Every structure is written in structure tokens, then in C-alpha cells.
Amino acid sequence: MKSARQTAFEILNKIQRDNSYSNLALDHALDKADTDNKDKKFVSALVYGVTERRITLDYNLSLYLSQPIKKLKPEVLTALRLGAYQILFMDKIPVSAAVNESVKLAKKNGAAFASGLVNAVLRKIISNGLKTDGSMSVNYSAPEWLCDMWCKSYGRENAEKLLEASFGAVDTVLRVNTEKIDADNLINLLAEEGFDCEIGGNVENSAVVKSGGAVHKTEAYKNGLFHVQDAASQLCCKALGVQENETVIDICAAPGGKSFTLAENMKNTGRIISCDIYEHRLKLISDGAERLGLTNIETVRNDGNVFNPDFPLADKILCDVPCSGLGVIRKKPEIRFKKSEEVDKLQDLQYSIMCISSRYLKIGGVMVYSTCSLNPNENEKIVEKFLTEHDNFEGVRVLSDISRYDVDTDFLTLMPHIHGCDGFFISAVRRIK
């Protein structure tokens, strides 16, 4: 049986090699791993910790290397990062174990030639402790462009709190399937399966898992009593204000969480057209709807960037567009390493999808435009441009009972350190003619 550190080592190498998301690589590896829950938690802590602290770790390692860190063999660098993370950020791990096990990893994975280097560098880190250059980038392990953008957009205090909130484990939030059960009874059922849950405080019909393991393996999940969905995403659905028997289009629906919540809010009546460009992602929606017993959802392969003349006019439209994901860094820590040019390229697509989606809306209908990003260029500026160029639409204030982080606007920017959920942007427009 592989050790927890060897499993973490292999996952980290895969993330680096394939540019894959850490959560997906981790889930895939742990589902196949023959290991207990304690070791799985340790693997998760190592993978997420090394990924989210990579800039800080690499700065500290570079202080004791005679060559640029990019020239190290990947196996050597991963062993060093794992060791440095345990030494600098895991108080319960003996530093001697962190060093010795990292040296073993180097030897076991084709890098025995560097075992002396791994030993020497990690022992210098033990002697000298955590070092920074005083910058937000190294302090919070984030690229300089992101630190600068958040400071400019939200102020330095909010920027630092956003970066602080990007570390550590995140609670799993459940959306209760109100067609089958209520929150109290779901919590009681999950307790019988060994899960400690509590009523969600941010949005109704939700529950928060405090402990218990893999919730998707429970009988309650198999029986369609809930789906996993962060409170921010649930609030996005609430903002759309769907009613029974309406026609609703979810433009970028996969993997389906928002469609499921909308269907439950509509009491499984009316019609929800859930769209995605890829067939395999549509199957995720249809399979989820079947598990939950939701019959008012139909899936349609559709490119949100191309007008579809076959769509009916809708009462409500959810336009949750592809985005940089800067609001969910704490769940997908590798997002923090995106280049600013990658983020900038998204804005034309986002605006195009919003404009095309608006053409499906009835007069008097409402469309929510949302992202899981914290970047005004993907958020406010898109909506402001849309309203300037479309005089047949007006802005609508969303979720007025929830506090805004700074100014009094119709838009709502959810922030982890303020609202206790994912970073998220929610706005709404109404067609008036």
C-alpha cells in the first residue's frame, strides 16, 4: 500500500504535468486509493497545502538553491515542496519526519541523485524558518497582478482578507431537495450515517457538513435527497426569483447544480432548458436530475455564443458565464496561478453570451448574469456595458437584504471573508420593451 506522502507526491506531479484541477485529481486518486480516512485527510492537506502555498514555498526554497528553481527535475521540486510545506505550515509534523520522508520520496521516484540536495535545503529551512520579501505576492502566495487588481478594485484591506480566506479547508454545503425532504429531517438522516451537519445560515433549504467524510457516498445522496452546492450558487438561484410553471433557460448549466435548485424552487413544475456545449456534460445534468427526481429539466446541446432560433421566449434566464474562477481559489487553488492575459481573454466571450442570451427573454422577463469570479472587468463592467448598449433593458437590484461590501449598488459581490461563502458576482436585468 502506498504511503500518504507518495500518493500526494503523485497527485502533485499530475497537477503540474497535466495542468489539471487539484480537486479533480485528488478525488480521482483517493477514490482508487486503498487507504483509511485519516490518511486521505493527510493526502488532501498536503495536496491543497502545497498547491495553494506554492509561490511562498518556491521563494523559500530558492534562497538555498544554486540554480533557478525552474531547472530542477519535477520529482525533485515536488519532494522539496512537500518537505518545505510540512516544516513551515504543519505544526503537528515532526521536522525530522518531513526531511527524512522527502528524501525517501526523491530516492523512490527516480531522483536519488538529488537526495543530498533535498536533505540540505530542507535542513536550512528548519534552521531559518519562514522567510518572505514583504510583498503581498509572497506573503499570500498569489501572483502580483492579482494582488494589484484586488487592491485597486476592493481596497487593500479587503484584498488581504480575500487572500487570507483563500487558504484552508472549506465546508461542504448541501442544497436540500425540497421535493423529497426538509433540512431538519435530512440532517437527522445524515447523522445516522455518521455525518455532523447543521442548518445553513446563508440561504434557506441548505445544510452545512461539519464532519463525516465523503457525503456523495451516503444513502441520502443516492436517494436524491440533496445535491452539493455552495451557498453563493444557491443565492444566485434565489436572485432569479423563479415561479411555478415558468419557462426558464439555464444558458451554461453543467454540471447542473443551479438547474436543480431552480427546479426545486419551481416545485418541479414548468420547464427548465439546461444547456451546455458538450454532450458528456449534459449527461451530468440529466443523471443528476434523474437521481433527484426532477422531471421539469430538459438538456439541450447549445453554444451560448451562438443564437439559437429554436429556443422559446423565456420568463427567466440564468446566464452564469465561463469565468476566471477567482472567487473559488480556496476550492481550486491552482486558479491563483493563472496569467492576467488568460483572464482578459474571457471578457469578449462573457459579453457576447450575455447579449445573445438576452434575445431569448420575454418583455417583463428577468435575466441574472453571474460569475464565480472577483474581477470587475468580468462583472460590473460587463453589465454596465450591456445596459448602455441595450435601451430595452433596465437594471434590477438583487438580494437587497444582503449587505454590499462597499457601495450601494444593484449588483451583489459576495466575498468569503464577509459572507462566508464562495466569491461570487450576481446581477440582474429586466427586459422592458
Side-chain angles (χ1 to χ4, degrees), residues 33 97 134 136 157 282 381 406:
M136 288 179 70
E157 181 179 356
L282 290 174
K381 291 185 179 179
D406 183 22

Side-chain angles (χ1 to χ4, degrees), residues 244-303:
E244 293 180 44
N245 297 310
E246 287 186 326
T247 296
V248 178
I249 303 176
D250 187 351
I251 296 293
C252 304
K258 296 183 185 69
S259 287
F260 304 152
T261 298
L262 293 173
E264 292 159 4
N265 288 345
M266 294 165 66
K267 298 183 179 178
N268 205 20
T269 67
R271 181 186 185 193
I272 298 178
I273 302 171
S274 299
C275 311
D276 197 85
I277 195 170
Y278 299 112
E279 286 286 355
H280 71 278
R281 289 176 62 79
L282 290 174
K283 189 175 187 305
L284 296 174
I285 303 173
S286 57
D287 287 351
E290 182 178 0
R291 179 180 63 81
L292 294 162
L294 301 171
T295 57
N296 63 343
I297 295 174
E298 59 187 87
T299 60
V300 176
R301 186 175 182 182
N302 181 70
D303 184 348

Side-chain angles (χ1 to χ4, degrees), residues 16-223:
Q16 285 287 92
R17 182 181 66 248
D18 302 339
N19 289 320
S20 55
Y21 282 126
S22 53
N23 62 325
L24 299 179
L26 186 63
D27 289 346
H28 179 72
L30 293 184
D31 278 344
K32 297 192 304 180
D34 179 21
T35 185
D36 59 25
N37 282 335
K38 182 179 179 181
D39 274 356
K40 286 182 178 180
K41 288 181 180 179
F42 186 39
V43 172
S44 297
L46 289 174
V47 170
Y48 281 124
V50 169
T51 304
E52 65 190 11
R53 297 281 188 180
R54 197 168 81 198
I55 291 175
T56 307
L57 294 173
D58 286 0
Y59 174 78
N60 278 266
L61 292 170
S62 68
L63 297 175
Y64 312 111
L65 291 168
S66 59
Q67 60 180 309
I69 203 163
K70 291 182 180 180
K71 290 191 175 183
L72 291 175
K73 187 175 179 180
E75 290 78 9
V76 177
L77 182 53
T78 300
L80 282 168
R81 284 171 173 166
L82 276 165
Y85 179 72
Q86 292 169 75
I87 293 165
L88 296 173
F89 295 105
M90 299 186 82
D91 295 337
K92 295 181 180 179
I93 303 296
V95 292
S96 58
V99 175
N100 294 337
E101 293 301 322
S102 295
V103 170
K104 288 180 184 178
L105 286 174
K107 291 179 177 178
K108 184 176 181 179
N109 293 278
F113 66 91
S115 58
L117 172 71
V118 171
N119 181 70
V121 169
L122 293 181
R123 292 196 179 281
K124 286 182 180 178
I125 286 178
I126 292 172
S127 298
N128 297 321
L130 179 66
K131 299 290 184 181
T132 76
D133 62 357
S135 70
M136 288 179 70
S137 176
V138 171
N139 284 348
Y140 297 107
S141 191
E144 291 183 4
W145 73 264
L146 178 59
C147 298
D148 292 343
M149 187 269 285
W150 276 355
C151 283
K152 180 180 178 181
S153 301
Y154 308 121
R156 186 179 180 89
E157 181 179 356
N158 273 318
E160 290 191 334
K161 288 181 177 178
L162 283 172
L163 290 165
E164 287 172 1
S166 71
F167 299 117
V170 181
D171 285 334
T172 298
V173 183
L174 313 179
R175 159 68 199 202
V176 180
N177 184 357
T178 48
E179 289 299 294
K180 293 187 174 185
I181 199 169
D182 61 27
D184 288 327
N185 282 315
L186 175 62
I187 288 172
N188 290 336
L189 280 178
L190 287 171
E192 293 175 7
E193 296 195 56
F195 287 79
D196 177 24
C197 304
E198 61 185 36
I199 296 290
N202 287 335
V203 62
E204 58 272 17
N205 301 317
S206 67
V208 180
V209 180
K210 308 307 292 186
S211 65
V215 74
H216 65 284
K217 294 185 177 180
T218 61
E219 287 300 311
Y221 180 84
K222 294 174 186 175
N223 292 330

